[in-house]
Amino acid sequence: AQSVSQHNHHVILSEAASLELGCNYSYGGTVNLFWYVQYPGQHLQLLLKYFSGDPLVKGIKGFEAEFIKSKFSFNLRKPSVQWSDTAEYFCAVKDSSASKIIFGSGTRLSIRP
Amino acid sequence: DAGITQSPRHKVTETGTPVTLRCHQTENHRYMYWYRQDPGHGLRLIHYSYGVKDTDKGEVSDGYSVSRSKTEDFLLTLESATSSQTSVYFCAISDRGTGAGNTIYFGEGSWLTVV
């Protein structure tokens, strides 16, 4: 069965610091990959997604993620974070032949102003 | 935002009582999902539906049942609520369940407290 691991449970950064959140999945076939963000008190919103093509994916709000198939990874990056990026971030994977999407346990990001 | 409405948004119920959460969509999407969100566990799939009257279990289906009699409505029922089912429940929809192009959209959540 496929699974998603987010090893960083809570990350604390200062404004303008660079961000990288790890995401690893376990599935040997073709996958679709997602990053979602959940701001405090709100529902999940899509940040970016990868289906095929260029493994470097650009998302909203300056976020990007790189799919490295050999490492089963899809890490989220942002060169300079802002206080408004304080949120919980979820990585998700979908087997391209299935209808379920499985989420990681999330990484809480706190930004010090 | 996708047209997804969850009701009720907040509910407090007693242990042992049945509870039904409703998810209504206006997007005519084929696939609908129920997730629960708990600290340290992220989102876990309870049940999902791939069409009217077509449903399947997710990771944490025990104690829950679902029904989908119309494309737009997906009901989640806690047959006999327990304190371990205190959680935030999110409904989600997607337009295609297989192949490329699938994106899942979330409702605003239903906060359920079982006392």
Side-chain angles (χ1 to χ4, degrees):
Chain A
Q2 63 198 73
S3 64
V4 181
S5 297
Q6 293 181 245
H7 302 294
N8 309 110
H9 298 294
H10 188 192
V11 173
I12 303 173
L13 295 173
S14 298
E15 276 197 307
S18 64
L19 169 71
E20 182 162 2
L21 302 181
C23 174
N24 289 90
Y25 65 93
S26 63
Y27 181 70
T30 302
V31 293
N32 304 143
L33 297 159
F34 308 83
W35 275 99
Y36 283 83
V37 60
Q38 186 179 30
Y39 297 104
Q42 297 187 25
H43 61 94
L44 280 83
Q45 303 168 44
L46 181 68
L47 262 183
L48 49 80
K49 58 188 179 184
Y50 170 80
F51 294 131
S52 63
D54 189 345
L56 185 61
V57 180
K58 303 283 187 186
I60 61 172
K61 304 186 180 185
F63 286 91
E64 65 179 31
E66 185 175 12
F67 170 51
I68 304 179
K69 189 174 181 180
S70 61
K71 295 184 178 180
F72 297 90
S73 70
F74 190 56
N75 292 355
L76 181 70
R77 301 195 293 247
K78 186 171 184 179
S80 176
V81 295
Q82 302 171 304
W83 180 82
S84 59
D85 293 324
T86 296
E88 190 152 18
Y89 293 81
F90 293 91
C91 181
V93 62
K94 176 183 165 296
D95 171 0
S96 62
S97 63
S99 51
K100 297 190 294 185
I101 295 180
I102 302 299
F103 286 82
S105 57
T107 297
R108 185 156 64 98
L109 177 63
S110 300
I111 306 297
R112 291 189 289 253
Chain B
D1 286 345
I4 308 170
T5 304
Q6 291 185 227
S7 60
R9 295 290 314 282
H10 298 270
K11 186 172 181 67
V12 179
T13 193
E14 293 185 348
T15 299
T17 60
V19 176
T20 296
L21 306 180
R22 179 178 182 241
C23 178
H24 178 80
Q25 59 142 331
T26 57
E27 307 295 322
N28 200 35
H29 284 354
R30 179 180 174 188
Y31 296 88
M32 299 185 75
Y33 309 82
W34 277 108
Y35 288 88
R36 59 177 289 174
Q37 184 179 24
D38 304 287
H41 293 279
L43 284 99
R44 291 180 291 176
L45 182 63
I46 304 171
H47 283 279
Y48 66 103
S49 169
Y50 46 95
V52 173
K53 297 187 180 178
D54 291 323
T55 65
D56 204 351
K57 295 180 180 180
E59 308 164 74
V60 289
S61 58
D62 288 346
Y64 301 94
S65 62
V66 289
S67 66
R68 188 148 177 226
S69 58
K70 299 185 287 186
T71 298
E72 57 266 35
D73 289 326
F74 192 35
L75 303 181
L76 176 71
T77 297
L78 287 65
E79 292 137 11
S80 177
T82 66
S83 58
S84 65
Q85 293 176 312
T86 292
S87 186
V88 184
Y89 292 86
F90 285 96
C91 174
I93 65 173
S94 66
D95 52 355
R96 278 178 286 172
T98 60
N102 179 284
T103 298
I104 189 167
Y105 300 96
F106 286 86
E108 295 189 338
S110 294
W111 275 253
L112 177 67
T113 302
V114 184
V115 298

